[in-house]
Amino acid sequence: MARSDSGESLLERVVRILECFTPEAPALAVTEIARRADLPSTTASRLVAELVGHGLLVRDDGRVRIGTRLWELGARASSTLSLRETAMPVLEDLHRTVGQHAQFGVLDGDEVLFVERLSAERAVINLTRIAARLPLHASSSGLVLLAFGSTTLQERVLARPLAGFTRNTITDPTVLRARLAEIRDRGVALCPGYIHLDATGVAVPVRDPDGHVVAAVSVVVPNDGEAARTVPALTEAARRIRRRLRS
């Protein structure tokens, strides 16, 4: 594979371009793509043009977006999308029961990736979006996935600085280690004001038929001291998803 003077392969540069797009920045000018991808403008322009030619990116009113062909290719083989489809009917029922936000997240690297979120018109504030990520230590879903993740993952997260979103976010590794043990023992993560002071996240693990934790199902509700009432509905949702995975 052709490499640049810096030793990067073409594929590495293309991946950097695709990673420029986020839920907060779905459309970018080529100059901004070059800046975010740390590429010369001419290189970024040429690679963007090739990606547009293959339908992986599209031009939209002078800006560039992810193309539907990239979504199509990802949807063909993604086990995560299959897991999401299995969970969706249960998530919809959970959303109707809670009347706030219902979410479904999976572990991706050292972050939780939210593959679905259902919301109500007057629900409490929620910073999560579909296809958005959060650090594992900061959200209820992330804490569940971290608590039931590998020892290697836990030690890697504990060894690095823990960013705080609010004064309630756990940023002390010793406190986080104890919290993870508590989540493993109780099977639920209750996080009042961790991401936003007005909201509480509550999450439980979703297991596959062999008992491995493959996802987290969560709700985001007002931070009014009543969030624990959602735990039975979450636990039942996780059980139903596991039963559906068996069928």
Side-chain angles (χ1 to χ4, degrees):
M1 184 174 293
R3 292 185 175 271
S4 66
D5 293 339
S6 65
E8 284 185 314
S9 69
L10 174 61
L11 180 58
E12 288 169 329
R13 285 174 279 168
V14 167
V15 168
R16 290 229 306 278
I17 287 175
L18 296 177
E19 288 178 337
C20 291
F21 299 92
T22 68
E24 295 76 25
L28 298 167
V30 174
T31 53
E32 178 63 12
I33 293 172
R35 186 188 69 78
R36 291 184 176 214
D38 193 22
L39 291 170
S41 296
T42 54
T43 301
S45 181
R46 174 175 56 82
L47 292 177
V48 165
E50 291 186 29
L51 291 168
V52 168
H54 288 287
L56 301 178
L57 296 177
V58 294
R59 297 190 186 276
D60 181 10
D61 195 23
R63 301 170 81 80
V64 179
R65 295 178 177 270
I66 293 291
T68 53
R69 191 179 181 207
L70 193 60
W71 170 84
E72 176 190 1
L73 293 172
R76 289 179 187 174
S78 173
S79 58
T80 296
L81 289 178
S82 176
L83 182 61
R84 172 195 169 276
E85 289 174 358
T86 301
M88 270 304 293
V90 180
L91 198 66
E92 289 169 349
D93 287 345
L94 176 65
H95 176 240
R96 282 191 289 269
T97 298
V98 175
Q100 293 282 333
H101 306 280
Q103 305 177 151
F104 195 70
V106 298
L107 180 67
D108 191 50
D110 292 353
E111 298 172 305
V112 53
L113 171 65
F114 292 95
V115 296
E116 187 56 75
R117 187 193 82 164
L118 303 177
S119 299
E121 184 177 354
R122 286 179 288 276
V124 69
I125 187 169
N126 183 4
L127 302 186
T128 304
R129 299 182 184 181
I130 297 173
R133 301 166 181 268
L134 283 173
L136 293 175
H137 73 280
S139 70
S140 58
S141 293
L143 283 169
V144 161
L145 295 171
L146 183 58
F148 291 95
S150 68
T151 301
T152 300
L153 171 65
Q154 292 170 14
E155 294 305 320
R156 187 166 63 244
V157 171
L158 287 161
R160 65 178 57 144
L162 303 172
F165 286 77
T166 73
R167 62 177 179 267
N168 293 346
T169 312
I170 297 175
T171 57
D172 184 318
T174 301
V175 175
L176 178 57
R177 192 182 295 277
R179 188 80 164 87
L180 295 177
E182 177 186 295
I183 291 168
R184 285 191 293 271
D185 181 57
R186 297 185 178 181
V188 60
L190 188 69
C191 303
Y194 279 31
I195 296 293
H196 193 285
L197 290 175
D198 292 337
T200 295
V202 191
V204 300
V206 174
R207 299 180 183 272
D208 67 12
D210 295 324
H212 302 122
V213 173
V214 294
V217 60
S218 64
V219 296
V220 178
V221 297
N223 189 8
D224 57 5
E226 300 294 322
R229 293 174 180 244
T230 66
V231 173
L234 278 164
T235 302
E236 178 58 23
R239 289 197 190 105
R240 288 181 59 196
I241 294 171
R242 186 178 186 183
R243 286 198 296 267
R244 288 175 61 83
L245 289 171
R246 288 196 184 106
S247 61

